[in-house]
Amino acid sequence: MKAIGLEVSTSSAKAIIFCPEEGVITEATRPFAKDVASGPTQDADGIVATAISVLKEVVNSAQCDVNSICAIGLSGTWHSLLLLDNKGKPLGRIKTWADLSAAPIVAPFRKDEAWVRKLYQRTGCMTHALYPVWKWIHVTQTEPELARGTSRLSSQLEYVYQTLTGDRSVSWCTASGTGLMNINSLDWDDEILKFAGIRREQLGELVEAFHTAPLLPSVAKEVGLPSGLPVTVGASDGAMNQVGIGGVTEGIMSMSVGTSGALRIAHREPKLPDKPSTWCYYLLDGKRLAGAAINGATNCVDWYLDCLSAKLQGHRDYERFTEGASRVSVERAPYFLPFLFGERCPGWQEERTGGFHGVRGTHTEFDLYYSILEGVLFNMYQCYQLLAEVGGAPQDVLMSGGILNSPLWSQMAADIFQRALLATGIANDSTVGAALTALESCGGIDSVEDYRPTVTMEFTPGDDKSRIYKRRFKTYLDLYAELKETK
């Protein structure tokens, strides 16, 4: 039995046809047009149109009978907000996780440590501008007429699901990243709703990620699939990545290093430190997902290469810079704090800035490139230590994302973490996770918890640099504390 995984991300729409025996049978990816996705915002109807076009593409290119497809599984980004009118139409663009315009609204609340800790323990979410609860409060204070005209609070993924099926449910998984759902009771938190000025009827009905609704006939006809094909309500790409690496079982950590970075591990109950630093959302089947995320990863690399675009004639020459970075003296390299796009974990400072430290006239462009790779991994390792402290060290860590395109960077990660890092080699583990969720929803597999992908890569730590990295990581932590924003 086969299923389709359909994912909408920050920058593109992706679709696969998948079955456990054969893996990914066919796949298609389509980047969002520049006017559709700008990073902090997205055009809701443009996202849907791109998703439908990539779905049609993968169906038309499939070498299989579409009647053998049992369901479509959806995946999308966490922490987005879309306002809808009384007819379910968008009242503007989607605000994504990258939209931090609510930071000035959030700042005064974060000074109240008791308040922050209370909300953190109830929702698993930090008091931070990336969360939809604060995006909404920002709207109520800066655009009161828009807020008054809003009939429903939705999100990127909910809107895709609604357009495909007409249903307005939302998964516990997606909702757990809003700052509005109680991570313990798995219900909208009435106290927080009152604080934010939100009525329950403005939010979707909470359901498990395996909940489905039939594909609308008009969409089915357009893409070439049977009318009424079940479509899952959808879950976040982070959660679906965890499913795709076989990480629903406890003890398996996912490590994604793409535009941003994240570490995640499943537990049977919420896992949160007393001092807010990491996060905890809902996965599926009663499992919670403890994790940490960073804003700066490959986007820092791309920023640096784009700054050199004149010299590189507009080309991001990853190969040349990777080769140059491999010859850098690690001990003499400068340091880099990867907060060019603000900070999430562990300090949660939207307005924090990053940059180089310890730069000398003898350093070259390759030294700076190396320090960016190292700084991103130091921030990830900083988060890893916090997660291990609250929930125990994982048995395995599976790595994914753009980092796998660089053997140098991947090996650096193993050396810094001082443990073996594994990878499946699949480009889109989260899209596979969406397909697996669809398969369980239609009885194609017994449980996503049983899925174990084939490990195709392993990076093991070397002894030659462990002492150097330990010393440099300590210096990084000193710089992190010394240069911490106090706004």
Side-chain angles (χ1 to χ4, degrees), residues 153-269:
L153 279 67
S154 185
S155 67
Q156 177 213 57
L157 184 54
E158 288 174 80
Y159 190 69
V160 172
Y161 175 67
Q162 174 188 322
T163 305
L164 296 182
T165 68
D167 187 16
R168 55 163 290 179
S169 300
V170 57
S171 68
W172 283 314
C173 177
T174 301
S176 67
T178 63
L180 295 166
M181 192 188 90
N182 191 302
I183 193 62
N184 304 290
S185 66
L186 301 183
D187 193 9
W188 299 118
D189 191 297
D190 287 324
E191 184 177 341
I192 297 173
L193 295 187
K194 183 178 179 180
F195 164 74
I198 299 171
R199 304 184 306 276
R200 273 182 173 258
E201 57 267 27
Q202 291 182 287
L203 301 170
E205 178 187 356
L206 291 167
V207 295
E208 180 58 278
F210 302 111
H211 172 84
T212 65
L215 185 66
L216 291 172
S218 58
V219 180
K221 181 179 180 181
E222 181 176 355
V223 301
L225 287 170
S227 179
L229 186 71
V231 181
T232 70
V233 67
S236 84
D237 49 7
M240 292 298 93
N241 179 274
Q242 195 71 20
V243 173
I245 64 150
V248 179
T249 300
E250 293 181 86
I252 301 175
M253 177 178 281
S254 61
M255 176 181 173
S256 304
V257 187
T259 303
S260 56
L263 296 156
R264 316 173 194 91
I265 187 166
H267 294 285
R268 295 190 179 278
E269 65 282 321

Side-chain angles (χ1 to χ4, degrees), residues 277-288:
S277 56
T278 57
W279 46 254
C280 187
Y281 308 143
Y282 184 80
L283 181 55
L284 43 73
D285 277 340
K287 299 284 184 65
R288 271 56 166 194

Side-chain angles (χ1 to χ4, degrees), residues 107-108 110-111 349-353 484-487:
R110 200 157 52 229
K111 293 178 181 178
Q349 297 178 89
E350 298 96 337
E351 297 181 0
R352 182 162 193 166
T353 58
K484 188 173 183 179
E485 299 283 345
T486 58
K487 294 180 182 179

Side-chain angles (χ1 to χ4, degrees), residues 352-480:
R352 182 162 193 166
T353 58
F356 299 100
H357 298 274
V359 181
R360 296 183 180 277
T362 54
H363 286 134
T364 69
E365 66 267 43
F366 302 123
D367 290 289
L368 298 179
Y369 187 82
Y370 167 84
S371 71
I372 292 175
L373 303 183
E374 183 189 68
V376 169
L377 292 176
F378 278 164
N379 192 191
M380 294 286 286
Y381 185 55
Q382 183 181 13
C383 294
Y384 171 86
Q385 290 186 323
L386 291 167
L387 288 170
E389 183 178 330
V390 73
Q395 177 181 336
D396 292 313
V397 178
L398 275 85
M399 190 163 56
S400 64
I403 190 173
L404 294 177
N405 296 323
S406 170
L408 170 68
W409 204 7
S410 299
Q411 184 58 50
M412 283 174 62
D415 290 338
I416 288 170
F417 278 61
Q418 274 299 291
R419 63 169 301 151
L421 300 176
L422 313 175
T424 66
I426 297 173
N428 298 305
D429 288 312
S430 52
T431 319
V432 171
L436 286 164
T437 304
L439 282 166
E440 181 172 340
S441 74
C442 66
I445 58 174
D446 291 334
S447 173
V448 294
E449 191 165 349
D450 299 330
Y451 178 70
R452 293 292 181 277
T454 301
V455 172
T456 60
M457 289 181 275
E458 180 175 355
F459 301 92
T460 56
D463 296 328
D464 55 331
K465 292 181 180 177
S466 63
R467 181 173 49 83
I468 299 173
Y469 278 129
K470 284 180 181 178
R471 185 169 61 250
R472 286 182 63 82
F473 180 63
K474 183 180 182 303
T475 302
Y476 166 87
L477 292 179
D478 291 341
L479 287 168
Y480 175 88

Side-chain angles (χ1 to χ4, degrees), residues 5-16 27-33 36-37 42 46-58 74-77 156 160 428 430-431:
L6 176 61
E7 179 175 345
V8 285
S9 69
T10 305
S11 58
S12 65
K14 312 158 196 173
I16 63 170
E27 58 188 314
T29 300
R30 186 162 298 189
F32 296 133
V36 170
Q42 296 177 332
I47 294 294
V48 170
T50 308
I52 289 176
S53 68
V54 81
L55 178 59
K56 182 177 181 179
E57 181 180 345
V58 81
L74 298 184
S75 172
T77 60
Q156 177 213 57
V160 172
N428 298 305
S430 52
T431 319

Side-chain angles (χ1 to χ4, degrees), residues 61-75:
S61 66
Q63 302 298 314
C64 65
D65 179 5
V66 295
N67 292 309
S68 67
I69 297 171
C70 72
I72 300 172
L74 298 184
S75 172

